[in-house]
Amino acid sequence: SYLSLIFEPYLLQNNLFNTSSPGRYGPFSVLNDMPLENILKSYNSKNIRNLLIFAHYKGIGMGIHKGNRWWGPGIHTSLQMTTNTFPLPAQIIGTLKEKRVGAFGIFALYSFSRLNNKKNSEAKYLTSLNGKLSWHGPLIFSIGFSRNYLTGGENISNYSWKESDAQKIVFEGLLTSNLLEKEYTVGGHDLWDQTLSTYFSIILPNRNLKIYAEVGFNDNRMYFADLLSQPDHSMATIIGIRDYGLGKMKNYIWGFEWTNLMITYTSKFRPTGPGTWYNRSQYYYSSYYNRRWAAHSGTDSDDWLLFFGYISDKVIIIPSINYERHGIVSHRPAEVKTELKFDFRYKLKNTWFGIVYEKQFEAFLGFPDYFYVDQFNNSIDSSSGKLAGSRFTNTLILTLYKDIIF
């Protein structure tokens, strides 16, 4: 076969309730607890979950993809691309899955998306280049990278930015000193947003154990010496482990993942700004229909996940706990979210039925400059009141999933 087709529609019934917005601003205005009622009304293709048309020869080819993608080794989040938003349309070139050559596996994917319907200098683009090389032996060792560039909409120079320029941007030099002669920069600088990450993973097949880490940067370095002296500038990290089998109890699993997107200490020495992730307003803070396509915890945040459970061919039971903070360096106090989740699924005659229950506690919503309030919600300088900007929420999700193959 030289053509791959995927069409995955879905039916979703939303019962929307009026909720008070935390009153956030800037990059914190697209976090996952912000209301989506008006966004859902304006989104015309929400019934298409995944659409792929891919012409290929021996697994290498090109096509179009309107769907969610995931770049990176994490299970809870990724620095570059997750399934957190609506399906993102793109032109793609490369491989859809790993291509084996002996003991080695190769994955490469280039994608190009238009983020609005504007033309000429007002058009905005997302251009991405991803690659991964794996070695399959007694263990599986993989190393990969993801380079993503948001361009267009605004320009720092008089150069007229074109779609053909955006399509090639991921192949430009890595250092600002490489860009000094480019017409679309001033002194090597631009108004656009580049994120670059590399990652590795180690899988022990006999143990069903995976250990992984991802390190990313959100700013060009001027010279190599700049990178050498302040390697942590704009750095973000993900560290995790997934263990599918505890000793002889092969159906029991556990895992841990920590994401760190906090503004770094050396940012104070940067004349061009702190290199904060997802902070460009002209690209709606790296969001699509008001949901960020990358790490959902967002700008200046961290995100901790611990889960354990049981998995078999018919039953899945996974409780988990999630601790998340927003505005850690830029605000005091930072927002705090703690979530307890229980995920239960049961398979009956090739159909999966599921129940997901989440109990969430949040504090310091909207970034008040105080910690406690009294019974009338007035700030007090005492620990005898209740936490400012706090609330509890309960969520119940019922799911039904079935593959129809024809």
mmCIF file of all heavy atoms in Angstrom, residues 358-403:
data_model
loop_
_atom_site.group_PDB
_atom_site.id
_atom_site.type_symbol
_atom_site.label_atom_id
_atom_site.label_comp_id
_atom_site.label_asym_id
_atom_site.label_seq_id
_atom_site.Cartn_x
_atom_site.Cartn_y
_atom_site.Cartn_z
ATOM 1 N N GLU A 358 -12.302 13.210 39.128
ATOM 2 C CA GLU A 358 -11.221 14.103 39.554
ATOM 3 C C GLU A 358 -11.719 15.023 40.662
ATOM 4 O O GLU A 358 -12.793 15.623 40.538
ATOM 5 C CB GLU A 358 -10.723 14.960 38.377
ATOM 6 C CG GLU A 358 -10.150 14.169 37.222
ATOM 7 C CD GLU A 358 -9.793 15.056 36.036
ATOM 8 O OE1 GLU A 358 -10.090 16.273 36.099
ATOM 9 O OE2 GLU A 358 -9.239 14.543 35.052
ATOM 10 N N LYS A 359 -10.951 15.110 41.726
ATOM 11 C CA LYS A 359 -11.224 16.073 42.794
ATOM 12 C C LYS A 359 -10.030 17.015 42.855
ATOM 13 O O LYS A 359 -8.894 16.583 43.040
ATOM 14 C CB LYS A 359 -11.427 15.394 44.145
ATOM 15 C CG LYS A 359 -11.881 16.380 45.224
ATOM 16 C CD LYS A 359 -12.264 15.676 46.498
ATOM 17 C CE LYS A 359 -12.838 16.655 47.521
ATOM 18 N NZ LYS A 359 -14.100 17.280 47.082
ATOM 19 N N GLN A 360 -10.309 18.299 42.676
ATOM 20 C CA GLN A 360 -9.236 19.282 42.516
ATOM 21 C C GLN A 360 -9.355 20.391 43.542
ATOM 22 O O GLN A 360 -10.449 20.886 43.817
ATOM 23 C CB GLN A 360 -9.318 19.863 41.105
ATOM 24 C CG GLN A 360 -8.210 20.826 40.745
ATOM 25 C CD GLN A 360 -8.238 21.150 39.266
ATOM 26 O OE1 GLN A 360 -7.869 20.356 38.418
ATOM 27 N NE2 GLN A 360 -8.706 22.357 38.937
ATOM 28 N N PHE A 361 -8.211 20.757 44.096
ATOM 29 C CA PHE A 361 -8.138 21.899 45.003
ATOM 30 C C PHE A 361 -7.156 22.909 44.422
ATOM 31 O O PHE A 361 -6.047 22.564 44.019
ATOM 32 C CB PHE A 361 -7.670 21.476 46.392
ATOM 33 C CG PHE A 361 -7.364 22.650 47.296
ATOM 34 C CD1 PHE A 361 -8.390 23.430 47.800
ATOM 35 C CD2 PHE A 361 -6.049 22.980 47.614
ATOM 36 C CE1 PHE A 361 -8.118 24.526 48.617
ATOM 37 C CE2 PHE A 361 -5.763 24.058 48.423
ATOM 38 C CZ PHE A 361 -6.805 24.831 48.927
ATOM 39 N N GLU A 362 -7.595 24.183 44.381
ATOM 40 C CA GLU A 362 -6.740 25.265 43.871
ATOM 41 C C GLU A 362 -6.669 26.381 44.903
ATOM 42 O O GLU A 362 -7.632 26.616 45.650
ATOM 43 C CB GLU A 362 -7.305 25.814 42.563
ATOM 44 C CG GLU A 362 -7.342 24.801 41.433
ATOM 45 C CD GLU A 362 -8.175 25.285 40.259
ATOM 46 O OE1 GLU A 362 -9.409 25.279 40.393
ATOM 47 O OE2 GLU A 362 -7.593 25.659 39.230
ATOM 48 N N ALA A 363 -5.528 27.066 44.931
ATOM 49 C CA ALA A 363 -5.340 28.186 45.855
ATOM 50 C C ALA A 363 -4.570 29.302 45.163
ATOM 51 O O ALA A 363 -3.800 29.063 44.223
ATOM 52 C CB ALA A 363 -4.602 27.727 47.110
ATOM 53 N N PHE A 364 -4.812 30.517 45.619
ATOM 54 C CA PHE A 364 -4.150 31.735 45.124
ATOM 55 C C PHE A 364 -4.461 31.983 43.647
ATOM 56 O O PHE A 364 -3.613 32.479 42.890
ATOM 57 C CB PHE A 364 -2.632 31.667 45.364
ATOM 58 C CG PHE A 364 -2.258 31.156 46.716
ATOM 59 C CD1 PHE A 364 -1.473 30.020 46.863
ATOM 60 C CD2 PHE A 364 -2.720 31.793 47.866
ATOM 61 C CE1 PHE A 364 -1.154 29.537 48.115
ATOM 62 C CE2 PHE A 364 -2.392 31.319 49.128
ATOM 63 C CZ PHE A 364 -1.611 30.180 49.256
ATOM 64 N N LEU A 365 -5.701 31.641 43.241
ATOM 65 C CA LEU A 365 -6.114 31.860 41.864
ATOM 66 C C LEU A 365 -6.134 33.344 41.537
ATOM 67 O O LEU A 365 -6.614 34.165 42.330
ATOM 68 C CB LEU A 365 -7.505 31.263 41.633
ATOM 69 C CG LEU A 365 -7.598 29.744 41.662
ATOM 70 C CD1 LEU A 365 -9.048 29.301 41.568
ATOM 71 C CD2 LEU A 365 -6.789 29.133 40.528
ATOM 72 N N GLY A 366 -5.634 33.684 40.354
ATOM 73 C CA GLY A 366 -5.587 35.079 39.944
ATOM 74 C C GLY A 366 -4.438 35.859 40.538
ATOM 75 O O GLY A 366 -4.364 37.079 40.367
ATOM 76 N N PHE A 367 -3.550 35.188 41.281
ATOM 77 C CA PHE A 367 -2.343 35.785 41.842
ATOM 78 C C PHE A 367 -2.623 36.961 42.788
ATOM 79 O O PHE A 367 -2.179 38.087 42.555
ATOM 80 C CB PHE A 367 -1.390 36.238 40.734
ATOM 81 C CG PHE A 367 -1.045 35.152 39.762
ATOM 82 C CD1 PHE A 367 -1.555 35.167 38.476
ATOM 83 C CD2 PHE A 367 -0.230 34.103 40.141
ATOM 84 C CE1 PHE A 367 -1.246 34.148 37.571
ATOM 85 C CE2 PHE A 367 0.081 33.083 39.248
ATOM 86 C CZ PHE A 367 -0.422 33.103 37.957
ATOM 87 N N PRO A 368 -3.355 36.743 43.883
ATOM 88 C CA PRO A 368 -3.488 37.803 44.889
ATOM 89 C C PRO A 368 -2.120 38.043 45.544
ATOM 90 O O PRO A 368 -1.263 37.149 45.562
ATOM 91 C CB PRO A 368 -4.479 37.213 45.888
ATOM 92 C CG PRO A 368 -4.292 35.731 45.756
ATOM 93 C CD PRO A 368 -4.006 35.492 44.305
ATOM 94 N N ASP A 369 -1.908 39.234 46.094
ATOM 95 C CA ASP A 369 -0.630 39.518 46.749
ATOM 96 C C ASP A 369 -0.710 39.278 48.251
ATOM 97 O O ASP A 369 -0.015 39.916 49.037
ATOM 98 C CB ASP A 369 -0.172 40.949 46.453
ATOM 99 C CG ASP A 369 -1.201 41.990 46.862
ATOM 100 O OD1 ASP A 369 -2.277 41.593 47.371
ATOM 101 O OD2 ASP A 369 -0.922 43.189 46.683
ATOM 102 N N TYR A 370 -1.571 38.361 48.657
ATOM 103 C CA TYR A 370 -1.721 37.995 50.063
ATOM 104 C C TYR A 370 -2.062 36.501 50.124
ATOM 105 O O TYR A 370 -2.475 35.885 49.127
ATOM 106 C CB TYR A 370 -2.816 38.821 50.733
ATOM 107 C CG TYR A 370 -4.075 38.952 49.922
ATOM 108 C CD1 TYR A 370 -5.099 38.004 49.983
ATOM 109 C CD2 TYR A 370 -4.244 40.042 49.046
ATOM 110 C CE1 TYR A 370 -6.245 38.112 49.225
ATOM 111 C CE2 TYR A 370 -5.390 40.150 48.273
ATOM 112 C CZ TYR A 370 -6.386 39.196 48.370
ATOM 113 O OH TYR A 370 -7.513 39.303 47.597
ATOM 114 N N PHE A 371 -1.895 35.903 51.320
ATOM 115 C CA PHE A 371 -2.051 34.463 51.470
ATOM 116 C C PHE A 371 -3.400 34.048 52.066
ATOM 117 O O PHE A 371 -3.910 32.984 51.732
ATOM 118 C CB PHE A 371 -0.927 33.902 52.354
ATOM 119 C CG PHE A 371 0.411 33.875 51.682
ATOM 120 C CD1 PHE A 371 1.261 34.975 51.728
ATOM 121 C CD2 PHE A 371 0.839 32.742 51.004
ATOM 122 C CE1 PHE A 371 2.504 34.948 51.121
ATOM 123 C CE2 PHE A 371 2.087 32.704 50.389
ATOM 124 C CZ PHE A 371 2.916 33.811 50.445
ATOM 125 N N TYR A 372 -3.965 34.872 52.948
ATOM 126 C CA TYR A 372 -5.167 34.466 53.681
ATOM 127 C C TYR A 372 -6.260 35.529 53.576
ATOM 128 O O TYR A 372 -5.980 36.731 53.403
ATOM 129 C CB TYR A 372 -4.841 34.217 55.155
ATOM 130 C CG TYR A 372 -3.964 33.010 55.394
ATOM 131 C CD1 TYR A 372 -2.587 33.149 55.515
ATOM 132 C CD2 TYR A 372 -4.523 31.743 55.492
ATOM 133 C CE1 TYR A 372 -1.779 32.038 55.722
ATOM 134 C CE2 TYR A 372 -3.725 30.624 55.711
ATOM 135 C CZ TYR A 372 -2.354 30.780 55.825
ATOM 136 O OH TYR A 372 -1.559 29.685 56.038
ATOM 137 N N VAL A 373 -7.518 35.075 53.691
ATOM 138 C CA VAL A 373 -8.656 35.985 53.708
ATOM 139 C C VAL A 373 -9.577 35.581 54.864
ATOM 140 O O VAL A 373 -9.552 34.437 55.348
ATOM 141 C CB VAL A 373 -9.446 35.931 52.374
ATOM 142 C CG1 VAL A 373 -8.609 36.459 51.235
ATOM 143 C CG2 VAL A 373 -9.938 34.510 52.084
ATOM 144 N N ASP A 374 -10.414 36.545 55.281
ATOM 145 C CA ASP A 374 -11.385 36.245 56.335
ATOM 146 C C ASP A 374 -12.677 35.709 55.713
ATOM 147 O O ASP A 374 -12.750 35.454 54.509
ATOM 148 C CB ASP A 374 -11.633 37.476 57.211
ATOM 149 C CG ASP A 374 -12.211 38.649 56.410
ATOM 150 O OD1 ASP A 374 -12.745 38.414 55.293
ATOM 151 O OD2 ASP A 374 -12.141 39.796 56.888
ATOM 152 N N GLN A 375 -13.732 35.603 56.526
ATOM 153 C CA GLN A 375 -14.992 35.030 56.052
ATOM 154 C C GLN A 375 -15.684 35.898 55.006
ATOM 155 O O GLN A 375 -16.567 35.432 54.277
ATOM 156 C CB GLN A 375 -15.926 34.825 57.241
ATOM 157 C CG GLN A 375 -16.235 36.103 58.005
ATOM 158 C CD GLN A 375 -17.146 35.852 59.183
ATOM 159 O OE1 GLN A 375 -18.007 34.977 59.130
ATOM 160 N NE2 GLN A 375 -16.972 36.620 60.255
ATOM 161 N N PHE A 376 -15.274 37.181 54.928
ATOM 162 C CA PHE A 376 -15.848 38.093 53.935
ATOM 163 C C PHE A 376 -14.929 38.262 52.719
ATOM 164 O O PHE A 376 -15.110 39.150 51.906
ATOM 165 C CB PHE A 376 -16.114 39.456 54.573
ATOM 166 C CG PHE A 376 -17.014 39.386 55.770
ATOM 167 C CD1 PHE A 376 -16.505 39.573 57.050
ATOM 168 C CD2 PHE A 376 -18.368 39.103 55.629
ATOM 169 C CE1 PHE A 376 -17.320 39.501 58.165
ATOM 170 C CE2 PHE A 376 -19.196 39.025 56.730
ATOM 171 C CZ PHE A 376 -18.673 39.218 58.004
ATOM 172 N N ASN A 377 -13.909 37.423 52.639
ATOM 173 C CA ASN A 377 -12.948 37.425 51.534
ATOM 174 C C ASN A 377 -12.042 38.653 51.541
ATOM 175 O O ASN A 377 -11.492 39.038 50.512
ATOM 176 C CB ASN A 377 -13.654 37.317 50.183
ATOM 177 C CG ASN A 377 -12.963 36.325 49.262
ATOM 178 O OD1 ASN A 377 -12.397 35.341 49.719
ATOM 179 N ND2 ASN A 377 -13.007 36.594 47.968
ATOM 180 N N ASN A 378 -11.860 39.269 52.682
ATOM 181 C CA ASN A 378 -10.923 40.381 52.838
ATOM 182 C C ASN A 378 -9.562 39.839 53.251
ATOM 183 O O ASN A 378 -9.477 38.905 54.060
ATOM 184 C CB ASN A 378 -11.430 41.367 53.893
ATOM 185 C CG ASN A 378 -12.757 41.984 53.509
ATOM 186 O OD1 ASN A 378 -12.943 42.412 52.363
ATOM 187 N ND2 ASN A 378 -13.693 42.021 54.452
ATOM 188 N N SER A 379 -8.505 40.400 52.694
ATOM 189 C CA SER A 379 -7.168 39.922 53.017
ATOM 190 C C SER A 379 -6.844 40.181 54.480
ATOM 191 O O SER A 379 -7.214 41.212 55.047
ATOM 192 C CB SER A 379 -6.135 40.617 52.123
ATOM 193 O OG SER A 379 -6.139 42.018 52.344
ATOM 194 N N ILE A 380 -6.165 39.230 55.104
ATOM 195 C CA ILE A 380 -5.757 39.375 56.500
ATOM 196 C C ILE A 380 -4.314 38.919 56.647
ATOM 197 O O ILE A 380 -3.844 38.046 55.917
ATOM 198 C CB ILE A 380 -6.663 38.558 57.451
ATOM 199 C CG1 ILE A 380 -6.696 37.082 57.035
ATOM 200 C CG2 ILE A 380 -8.064 39.133 57.499
ATOM 201 C CD1 ILE A 380 -7.458 36.194 57.985
ATOM 202 N N ASP A 381 -3.635 39.490 57.604
ATOM 203 C CA ASP A 381 -2.248 39.130 57.859
ATOM 204 C C ASP A 381 -2.214 38.100 58.980
ATOM 205 O O ASP A 381 -1.744 38.364 60.093
ATOM 206 C CB ASP A 381 -1.437 40.371 58.225
ATOM 207 C CG ASP A 381 0.048 40.074 58.339
ATOM 208 O OD1 ASP A 381 0.461 39.014 57.823
ATOM 209 O OD2 ASP A 381 0.777 40.882 58.945
ATOM 210 N N SER A 382 -2.756 36.926 58.698
ATOM 211 C CA SER A 382 -2.866 35.907 59.731
ATOM 212 C C SER A 382 -3.094 34.566 59.063
ATOM 213 O O SER A 382 -3.621 34.486 57.952
ATOM 214 C CB SER A 382 -4.031 36.215 60.673
ATOM 215 O OG SER A 382 -4.294 35.116 61.516
ATOM 216 N N SER A 383 -2.707 33.498 59.734
ATOM 217 C CA SER A 383 -2.920 32.157 59.205
ATOM 218 C C SER A 383 -4.201 31.538 59.744
ATOM 219 O O SER A 383 -4.470 30.357 59.548
ATOM 220 C CB SER A 383 -1.731 31.256 59.572
ATOM 221 O OG SER A 383 -1.600 31.164 60.979
ATOM 222 N N SER A 384 -5.017 32.338 60.430
ATOM 223 C CA SER A 384 -6.254 31.810 60.998
ATOM 224 C C SER A 384 -7.416 31.842 60.019
ATOM 225 O O SER A 384 -8.476 31.289 60.293
ATOM 226 C CB SER A 384 -6.638 32.620 62.251
ATOM 227 O OG SER A 384 -6.831 33.991 61.906
ATOM 228 N N GLY A 385 -7.253 32.498 58.864
ATOM 229 C CA GLY A 385 -8.309 32.544 57.871
ATOM 230 C C GLY A 385 -8.210 31.386 56.907
ATOM 231 O O GLY A 385 -7.600 30.352 57.185
ATOM 232 N N LYS A 386 -8.813 31.547 55.746
ATOM 233 C CA LYS A 386 -8.706 30.512 54.717
ATOM 234 C C LYS A 386 -7.770 31.003 53.620
ATOM 235 O O LYS A 386 -7.506 32.210 53.485
ATOM 236 C CB LYS A 386 -10.072 30.180 54.147
ATOM 237 C CG LYS A 386 -10.687 31.267 53.292
ATOM 238 C CD LYS A 386 -11.968 30.775 52.614
ATOM 239 C CE LYS A 386 -12.518 31.835 51.668
ATOM 240 N NZ LYS A 386 -13.714 31.358 50.937
ATOM 241 N N LEU A 387 -7.257 30.070 52.837
ATOM 242 C CA LEU A 387 -6.320 30.414 51.781
ATOM 243 C C LEU A 387 -6.998 31.295 50.734
ATOM 244 O O LEU A 387 -8.125 31.028 50.314
ATOM 245 C CB LEU A 387 -5.773 29.161 51.120
ATOM 246 C CG LEU A 387 -4.881 28.264 52.002
ATOM 247 C CD1 LEU A 387 -4.512 26.998 51.249
ATOM 248 C CD2 LEU A 387 -3.625 29.008 52.439
ATOM 249 N N ALA A 388 -6.311 32.347 50.310
ATOM 250 C CA ALA A 388 -6.862 33.280 49.332
ATOM 251 C C ALA A 388 -7.051 32.593 47.978
ATOM 252 O O ALA A 388 -6.252 31.746 47.574
ATOM 253 C CB ALA A 388 -5.948 34.483 49.194
ATOM 254 N N GLY A 389 -8.113 32.990 47.289
ATOM 255 C CA GLY A 389 -8.360 32.487 45.938
ATOM 256 C C GLY A 389 -8.442 30.981 45.862
ATOM 257 O O GLY A 389 -7.942 30.388 44.898
ATOM 258 N N SER A 390 -9.081 30.350 46.833
ATOM 259 C CA SER A 390 -9.121 28.884 46.861
ATOM 260 C C SER A 390 -10.498 28.366 46.444
ATOM 261 O O SER A 390 -11.514 29.037 46.626
ATOM 262 C CB SER A 390 -8.767 28.368 48.256
ATOM 263 O OG SER A 390 -9.687 28.843 49.221
ATOM 264 N N ARG A 391 -10.506 27.156 45.910
ATOM 265 C CA ARG A 391 -11.773 26.518 45.547
ATOM 266 C C ARG A 391 -11.560 25.019 45.373
ATOM 267 O O ARG A 391 -10.436 24.553 45.105
ATOM 268 C CB ARG A 391 -12.344 27.106 44.268
ATOM 269 C CG ARG A 391 -11.572 26.773 42.999
ATOM 270 C CD ARG A 391 -12.194 27.428 41.775
ATOM 271 N NE ARG A 391 -11.435 27.139 40.567
ATOM 272 C CZ ARG A 391 -11.650 27.702 39.387
ATOM 273 N NH1 ARG A 391 -12.621 28.605 39.252
ATOM 274 N NH2 ARG A 391 -10.926 27.376 38.331
ATOM 275 N N PHE A 392 -12.643 24.260 45.535
ATOM 276 C CA PHE A 392 -12.670 22.829 45.260
ATOM 277 C C PHE A 392 -13.560 22.590 44.044
ATOM 278 O O PHE A 392 -14.598 23.233 43.888
ATOM 279 C CB PHE A 392 -13.232 22.045 46.450
ATOM 280 C CG PHE A 392 -12.288 21.928 47.610
ATOM 281 C CD1 PHE A 392 -12.317 22.859 48.644
ATOM 282 C CD2 PHE A 392 -11.363 20.891 47.678
ATOM 283 C CE1 PHE A 392 -11.460 22.758 49.727
ATOM 284 C CE2 PHE A 392 -10.498 20.779 48.751
ATOM 285 C CZ PHE A 392 -10.544 21.708 49.785
ATOM 286 N N THR A 393 -13.171 21.670 43.204
ATOM 287 C CA THR A 393 -14.017 21.271 42.073
ATOM 288 C C THR A 393 -14.026 19.754 41.966
ATOM 289 O O THR A 393 -13.056 19.074 42.315
ATOM 290 C CB THR A 393 -13.513 21.852 40.742
ATOM 291 O OG1 THR A 393 -12.153 21.448 40.516
ATOM 292 C CG2 THR A 393 -13.594 23.368 40.741
ATOM 293 N N ASN A 394 -15.149 19.224 41.480
ATOM 294 C CA ASN A 394 -15.306 17.791 41.243
ATOM 295 C C ASN A 394 -15.695 17.585 39.785
ATOM 296 O O ASN A 394 -16.558 18.295 39.264
ATOM 297 C CB ASN A 394 -16.380 17.208 42.149
ATOM 298 C CG ASN A 394 -16.014 17.280 43.613
ATOM 299 O OD1 ASN A 394 -15.255 16.454 44.116
ATOM 300 N ND2 ASN A 394 -16.531 18.280 44.314
ATOM 301 N N THR A 395 -15.068 16.620 39.139
ATOM 302 C CA THR A 395 -15.333 16.343 37.731
ATOM 303 C C THR A 395 -15.578 14.855 37.552
ATOM 304 O O THR A 395 -14.817 14.019 38.057
ATOM 305 C CB THR A 395 -14.143 16.768 36.851
ATOM 306 O OG1 THR A 395 -13.864 18.149 37.066
ATOM 307 C CG2 THR A 395 -14.455 16.536 35.377
ATOM 308 N N LEU A 396 -16.643 14.517 36.822
ATOM 309 C CA LEU A 396 -16.959 13.128 36.498
ATOM 310 C C LEU A 396 -17.080 13.007 34.987
ATOM 311 O O LEU A 396 -17.842 13.739 34.354
ATOM 312 C CB LEU A 396 -18.261 12.695 37.170
ATOM 313 C CG LEU A 396 -18.680 11.237 36.937
ATOM 314 C CD1 LEU A 396 -17.676 10.286 37.577
ATOM 315 C CD2 LEU A 396 -20.086 10.984 37.468
ATOM 316 N N ILE A 397 -16.314 12.100 34.402
ATOM 317 C CA ILE A 397 -16.303 11.902 32.951
ATOM 318 C C ILE A 397 -16.658 10.451 32.654
ATOM 319 O O ILE A 397 -16.053 9.523 33.209
ATOM 320 C CB ILE A 397 -14.916 12.229 32.353
ATOM 321 C CG1 ILE A 397 -14.511 13.672 32.683
ATOM 322 C CG2 ILE A 397 -14.915 12.012 30.846
ATOM 323 C CD1 ILE A 397 -13.083 14.007 32.288
ATOM 324 N N LEU A 398 -17.641 10.247 31.786
ATOM 325 C CA LEU A 398 -18.021 8.913 31.328
ATOM 326 C C LEU A 398 -17.545 8.744 29.889
ATOM 327 O O LEU A 398 -17.767 9.625 29.046
ATOM 328 C CB LEU A 398 -19.534 8.719 31.404
ATOM 329 C CG LEU A 398 -20.183 8.962 32.770
ATOM 330 C CD1 LEU A 398 -21.694 8.784 32.667
ATOM 331 C CD2 LEU A 398 -19.605 8.041 33.833
ATOM 332 N N THR A 399 -16.883 7.632 29.593
ATOM 333 C CA THR A 399 -16.323 7.443 28.256
ATOM 334 C C THR A 399 -16.765 6.101 27.687
ATOM 335 O O THR A 399 -17.043 5.140 28.407
ATOM 336 C CB THR A 399 -14.778 7.482 28.279
ATOM 337 O OG1 THR A 399 -14.288 6.395 29.083
ATOM 338 C CG2 THR A 399 -14.298 8.796 28.847
ATOM 339 N N LEU A 400 -16.822 6.064 26.356
ATOM 340 C CA LEU A 400 -17.091 4.828 25.613
ATOM 341 C C LEU A 400 -16.199 4.857 24.392
ATOM 342 O O LEU A 400 -16.194 5.828 23.623
ATOM 343 C CB LEU A 400 -18.561 4.742 25.232
ATOM 344 C CG LEU A 400 -19.030 3.437 24.559
ATOM 345 C CD1 LEU A 400 -20.493 3.192 24.888
ATOM 346 C CD2 LEU A 400 -18.868 3.530 23.027
ATOM 347 N N TYR A 401 -15.427 3.795 24.211
ATOM 348 C CA TYR A 401 -14.479 3.760 23.103
ATOM 349 C C TYR A 401 -14.569 2.416 22.379
ATOM 350 O O TYR A 401 -14.534 1.358 23.010
ATOM 351 C CB TYR A 401 -13.047 3.958 23.607
ATOM 352 C CG TYR A 401 -11.992 3.971 22.532
ATOM 353 C CD1 TYR A 401 -11.731 5.124 21.806
ATOM 354 C CD2 TYR A 401 -11.282 2.817 22.221
ATOM 355 C CE1 TYR A 401 -10.777 5.126 20.809
ATOM 356 C CE2 TYR A 401 -10.331 2.807 21.213
ATOM 357 C CZ TYR A 401 -10.087 3.975 20.513
ATOM 358 O OH TYR A 401 -9.142 3.970 19.512
ATOM 359 N N LYS A 402 -14.685 2.479 21.054
ATOM 360 C CA LYS A 402 -14.754 1.258 20.250
ATOM 361 C C LYS A 402 -14.127 1.509 18.893
ATOM 362 O O LYS A 402 -14.423 2.530 18.249
ATOM 363 C CB LYS A 402 -16.211 0.812 20.074
ATOM 364 C CG LYS A 402 -16.361 -0.492 19.287
ATOM 365 C CD LYS A 402 -17.817 -0.885 19.185
ATOM 366 C CE LYS A 402 -17.981 -2.147 18.358
ATOM 367 N NZ LYS A 402 -17.340 -3.313 18.979
ATOM 368 N N ASP A 403 -13.260 0.616 18.472
ATOM 369 C CA ASP A 403 -12.685 0.676 17.133
ATOM 370 C C ASP A 403 -13.615 -0.016 16.141
ATOM 371 O O ASP A 403 -14.085 -1.137 16.387
ATOM 372 C CB ASP A 403 -11.318 -0.027 17.099
ATOM 373 C CG ASP A 403 -10.219 0.833 17.718
ATOM 374 O OD1 ASP A 403 -10.305 2.057 17.615
ATOM 375 O OD2 ASP A 403 -9.284 0.256 18.315
#
